[in-house]
Amino acid sequence: LIVLPLLASLFASNSWALTPEEVQKAVAEAQSTVQNLPSAEEDSLAIAIAVSLSMPRASLLRLGQDAKDAGLALTFRGVGQEVKTQANEKPRTVLETYGTGLIRRHLEDFRFLSEAGVNVQIDPVLFARHHITDVPRVMVVPVCRTACEKSEALLVARGDVTLRYALEHLKKELQEQLSQEPENPRFIKAQTLIDRALQRLGDRP
């Protein structure tokens, strides 16, 4: 289904007839393009920074500014006070627990970050999937198009440290894993992500 449009566009660009050898070459190039496309089931990786408004504002702002420069976001479980399910109630949905009403009422809480240009995300699923009970955490996590077979975080750094320190800690752990599995594609992807973030941060501590 993908080869045909590629060939059609190739033939449309040529007003002359193609020789059998040229047709064979075009087919081979089209097939190569298709084979190099990522699989629909293939997972990718991302760097997630899990935080909370319970953290000191100065720590959040410092981490947020570093995250912005590194092209990353601060991820919160929700906003305001979580609505707890009572013992006699059915389990609440994510929207009921972290609903738009809460978000509207508590957007002011994030103003000091938004004014500094920090990218803020609300993602209770990240916290639930990785059982996050303490923050901050800087993690390399899978981001899947479909259900993840390997949903656990690949690398985790905990503690109120600078983003550079956390990323360098992740890189050190990753290098140990790469020494044992140098061809592991997930480790190679993770190394690229971490190196890119560190490069964007520059020489700051």
Side-chain angles (χ1 to χ4, degrees):
L1 293 177
I2 301 177
V3 175
L4 291 177
L6 287 170
L7 289 178
S9 63
L10 178 62
F11 292 165
S13 65
N14 293 278
S15 58
W16 59 87
L18 296 177
T19 66
E21 291 77 14
E22 289 171 329
V23 171
Q24 185 176 3
K25 181 181 178 182
V27 170
E29 290 177 353
Q31 288 176 337
S32 174
T33 301
V34 173
Q35 290 169 358
N36 290 332
L37 291 174
S39 166
E41 302 298 321
E42 182 182 347
D43 66 318
S44 58
L45 298 173
I47 297 175
I49 306 174
V51 294
S52 167
L53 286 171
S54 64
M55 292 171 52
R57 178 170 289 206
S59 297
L60 267 177
L61 189 57
R62 180 192 64 191
L63 190 57
Q65 290 170 332
D66 284 349
K68 176 189 69 173
D69 293 342
L72 304 172
L74 297 186
T75 303
F76 294 80
R77 182 196 301 273
V79 293
Q81 296 297 316
E82 178 182 349
V83 178
K84 299 290 186 179
T85 302
Q86 301 301 315
N88 60 345
E89 292 180 338
K90 68 177 183 180
R92 295 177 180 269
T93 66
V94 170
L95 273 179
E96 289 170 336
T97 304
Y98 306 97
T100 55
L102 277 175
I103 294 174
R104 284 196 300 269
R105 289 198 298 272
H106 295 279
L107 280 178
E108 186 67 26
D109 295 340
F110 298 94
R111 184 177 296 278
F112 74 102
L113 293 171
S114 61
E115 288 180 346
V118 178
N119 187 9
V120 171
Q121 295 180 169
I122 307 297
D123 189 355
V125 175
L126 176 79
F127 281 73
R129 175 177 291 167
H130 299 289
H131 311 288
I132 298 173
T133 56
D134 59 282
V135 291
R137 291 192 194 185
V138 179
M139 309 180 293
V140 177
V141 297
V143 180
C144 305
R145 296 182 179 89
T146 57
C148 291
E149 290 184 5
K150 299 179 180 179
S151 61
E152 71 276 7
L154 189 65
L155 299 161
V156 181
R158 293 179 170 89
D160 188 7
V161 294
T162 66
L163 182 57
R164 168 167 285 281
Y165 185 94
L167 290 172
E168 287 179 341
H169 173 77
L170 295 181
K171 184 173 181 176
K172 182 178 179 181
E173 284 193 353
L174 182 61
Q175 287 171 341
E176 293 176 1
Q177 296 183 30
L178 275 168
S179 67
Q180 300 175 15
E181 300 181 60
E183 303 301 323
N184 187 308
R186 299 178 90 224
F187 294 164
I188 294 171
K189 286 181 183 178
Q191 185 177 44
T192 300
L193 280 175
I194 294 170
D195 285 345
R196 185 182 301 140
L198 284 170
Q199 184 177 15
R200 288 172 172 169
L201 281 175
D203 297 328
R204 75 189 70 181

